[in-house]
Every structure is written in structure tokens, then in C-alpha cells.
Amino acid sequence: MKVLICGGAGYIGSHLVRELLTQPGYEIIVLDNLSKGHVESIPTGVEFENANICDKESLERVFSKHKPDAVMHFCASIAVGESVTDPLGYYENNVVGTIYLLQTMIKHNVKYFIFSSTAAIFGNPEETPIADNAPTKPINPYGDTKLTVEKILAWTEDAHGLKYVCLRYFNACGAHESGEIGEDHDPETHLIPVVLQVPLGQREFIKIYGDDYDTKDGTCVRDYIHVTDLATAHIKALEYLVRVNKSDRFNLGSGEGYTVKEVIEAVRKVTGHPIPEVIEARRAGDPAVLIAGSERAEKILGWRRKYNKVEDIVATAWKYHQANPNGYNNK
């Protein structure tokens, strides 16, 4: 099976490529415009196409050349704050770009689509862990663009028979066990790599935004799912589509989550660094608890997480960042 991985040079996409390479029966083509991705993350021998999903002509060129059987889509812009200040840019890339991608798939009779969605479609949830069928009420343009695509996919299936799986999750984290690829965003906003900047000597302390939430230690609780476990879930989703030929949506979560202070303590334990803390005011719009359940994904897809402890997740990230303190700029 030929699989086109859109955004395959990005953080989650590059780890999906590594995991898919360990599975028999797949031929991989990576499509990425390298606006956020890193060509250094693409393994030797994997076909790479420098193309943009917002450019119909480049999509047509890639599909005509490679004739993929399935598409996995990781090309979204993902920064919540940026989506608030640039909503039109986010709708252009995340929605219009996906429409162009789906139009090209339909033209070339590609029937399988795995969509990297987000638990941000649920907004401030009424209950946690968030169930697959929880009400969808996104509170920012980023979450709304993902929900819009999920709606588009349902109508596209009705009209054209496209089969899809949407995977919703919060915080991807960690790095490949080899330490060769990992997280490298500019600017970096994710908690674990930001905390690791302290032992790397790139910042003096870590800021905690609010310690008076109704949680075990007063700091926010979030899901942290290892990026390799997410990659495995995408492969399981593709296997499910091919086997059952039925579209579905699944949440991917830990079901419990960790507080900000627990993550910082895990970094102290793994790195041996004291990690000074500074308490700041709460950030607007930060819910106390955001965690998702994954019971259906475990039951139906047969998905199992390999990394269940935050210390193990942090250890893989530390291995990558120690070897690459400036990310892919080191290479």
C-alpha cells in the first residue's frame, strides 16, 4: 500500500514515518512544504515531495506521480494563540488546504484518509475524561478549523464514498527512542520541551500560569501522549479502515493526565536539575482539567500505549534535546 503522509517532515508526521517503516507492506511518500517541518527528519530512502496542500497544481503533480492508496494528514497550523490573531490564515491552511487535498484524492480515486484532529474541538468540556461523543464546542479558531474538517469529511463520505478516521488528542510529547528525531517548534510552546530548556541552560526558570486551580496541587491537568504512541494509533486506524471500510472518530488520551507541577517534577527526576519555578497569573481561557478517554480506540482499534509514565516520556525527550539542544539546527 502506498501511503502519502502530508506533513511527514513535522513532529508527529516524522515519527509516523519511522513507525510505518517498521511495518511490512507499506510504501511511504512524504509531502511537506517545510514551513514547520524539517527535511533532516526524513529517513534516507523515503520519497519526499516539497509541496503545499494549498497549491492544487503541486498536489496534482504528487498524486499523478505516486498514485497513493491512502493519505494521512498532519499539515495543520496548530498554535491556539496564533489562530486567535490570524484566524483567516488558519482557515486557509487547515480548511481550504484540506479541501484541496480531498478534491485531489477524489479525482484520483483514493479512498482512505486518516485525519490528525484535536481534542480542542470539545472546548471547555462538561465532563472529563472527554468521551468520543462529548459535545463539540471549540473556543478558538484552531479547534474550529479541525471540527470544520471533521464535518466536511462526513459530507464527503456521503457524496463520494471516502472512508476516514479522525483521531483527537491534546499534547503530543516525547521523542523517538533512538534520539534521532524529536520536537523542534519555533517558537516552542509545549510544556515538556520548554521545561527542558532550563537544564539545557536556555532559560533560568519555568513559569507556572496559575497555582490556584481546583486540582490536586493547584496547577492545570493535561493529557501527555507519547508521539510514538500517537504514530501507532494512526497506523492502527489505517489498518482498521482497510479491514472494515467504515469511517469513525476516536479520542486518544491517558484518561488521567498530569499536573504542570508533576511534569516539572518528572523533568527534575530525569535530568537531575533543580528547575526553579515562578508562579504567574492564570492565562485567560485555560481550563483546570483537559484529559481525554481512549476506551473506544483501545477496544476497536486495538491501540495500546507503550509509554504510560510521564518520567518515561520525559526521558525520551531529554535524550533528543541533549543531543540536539538547538533542534535540527544542530545537524
Side-chain angles (χ1 to χ4, degrees):
M1 171 174 276
K2 286 189 176 183
V3 183
L4 179 66
I5 303 175
C6 300
Y11 175 43
I12 301 175
S14 63
H15 286 77
L16 184 279
V17 170
R18 296 291 176 116
E19 289 307 298
L20 203 56
L21 282 172
T22 68
Q23 305 295 312
Y26 293 104
E27 182 179 335
I28 300 169
I29 306 101
V30 169
L31 181 155
D32 204 295
N33 67 359
L34 303 180
S35 61
K36 299 291 184 182
H38 305 275
V39 70
E40 299 89 346
S41 71
I42 303 172
T44 302
V46 171
E47 288 263 14
F48 169 59
E49 295 286 352
N50 192 330
N52 191 328
I53 61 168
C54 291
D55 179 357
K56 284 186 173 182
E57 290 184 3
S58 66
L59 284 176
E60 178 62 31
R61 172 179 57 81
V62 171
F63 275 74
S64 296
K65 177 180 177 181
H66 294 285
K67 299 177 174 56
D69 302 298
V71 172
M72 295 190 179
H73 181 21
F74 299 92
C75 283
S77 303
I78 62 169
V80 169
E82 184 182 54
S83 78
V84 174
T85 59
D86 183 25
L88 297 179
Y90 268 63
Y91 281 94
E92 178 181 32
N93 185 64
N94 294 6
V95 178
V96 176
T98 305
I99 290 172
Y100 289 168
L101 182 58
L102 293 172
Q103 287 173 333
T104 310
M105 288 179 63
I106 291 161
K107 179 179 177 181
H108 289 265
N109 199 32
V110 183
K111 292 294 187 183
Y112 301 124
F113 188 71
I114 308 297
F115 181 52
S116 176
S117 189
T118 174
I121 66 171
F122 299 110
N124 294 320
E126 298 170 3
E127 296 181 359
T128 57
I130 304 168
D132 289 6
N133 61 353
T136 51
K137 301 176 182 177
I139 58 174
N140 52 63
Y142 165 63
D144 194 59
T145 62
K146 293 284 194 172
L147 181 58
T148 300
V149 169
E150 290 203 15
K151 292 177 179 178
I152 289 170
L153 286 171
W155 291 112
T156 303
E157 178 181 24
D158 288 348
H160 301 285
L162 177 86
K163 299 301 177 184
Y164 64 90
V165 169
C166 300
L167 298 175
R168 296 94 158 249
Y169 44 90
F170 283 117
N171 298 321
C173 52
H176 193 266
E177 61 185 4
S178 67
E180 295 175 358
I181 59 173
E183 195 163 6
D184 182 5
H185 299 115
D186 183 21
E188 188 57 74
T189 59
H190 291 176
L191 180 60
I192 290 175
V194 168
V195 179
L196 287 173
Q197 288 174 357
V198 180
L200 288 171
Q202 297 170 352
R203 65 172 66 214
E204 295 181 9
F205 52 83
I206 186 68
K207 293 180 179 180
I208 297 176
Y209 296 97
D211 63 349
D212 57 350
Y213 288 93
D214 185 18
T215 61
K216 66 176 78 173
D217 60 23
T219 62
C220 291
V221 176
R222 296 290 183 267
D223 254 332
Y224 296 91
I225 306 297
H226 195 279
V227 64
T228 297
D229 286 334
L230 289 177
T232 302
H234 285 77
I235 297 171
K236 292 284 188 183
L238 180 58
E239 292 173 348
Y240 168 81
L241 270 191
V242 173
R243 183 176 69 252
V244 180
N245 199 41
K246 178 184 176 184
S247 298
D248 213 329
R249 300 172 171 87
F250 298 97
N251 291 357
L252 304 176
S254 67
E256 51 186 7
Y258 297 96
T259 69
V260 173
K261 286 188 175 181
E262 286 176 330
V263 173
I264 295 171
E265 188 56 40
V267 175
R268 292 188 181 113
K269 183 177 179 180
V270 169
T271 66
H273 195 282
I275 319 284
E277 302 171 0
V278 174
I279 305 299
E280 299 277 348
R282 291 187 183 190
R283 291 181 298 199
D286 264 352
V289 180
L290 284 179
I291 54 177
S294 57
E295 291 81 6
R296 286 188 67 252
E298 292 168 3
K299 181 179 179 180
I300 296 174
L301 300 181
W303 179 59
R304 297 291 182 272
R305 288 182 294 135
K306 176 181 177 182
Y307 296 89
N308 293 300
K309 295 181 179 180
V310 68
E311 291 85 2
D312 295 338
I313 293 172
V314 169
T316 64
W318 181 231
K319 182 177 181 179
Y320 170 75
H321 287 290
Q322 274 188 300
N324 305 275
N326 298 307
Y328 289 100
N329 288 332
N330 281 352
K331 293 183 170 68

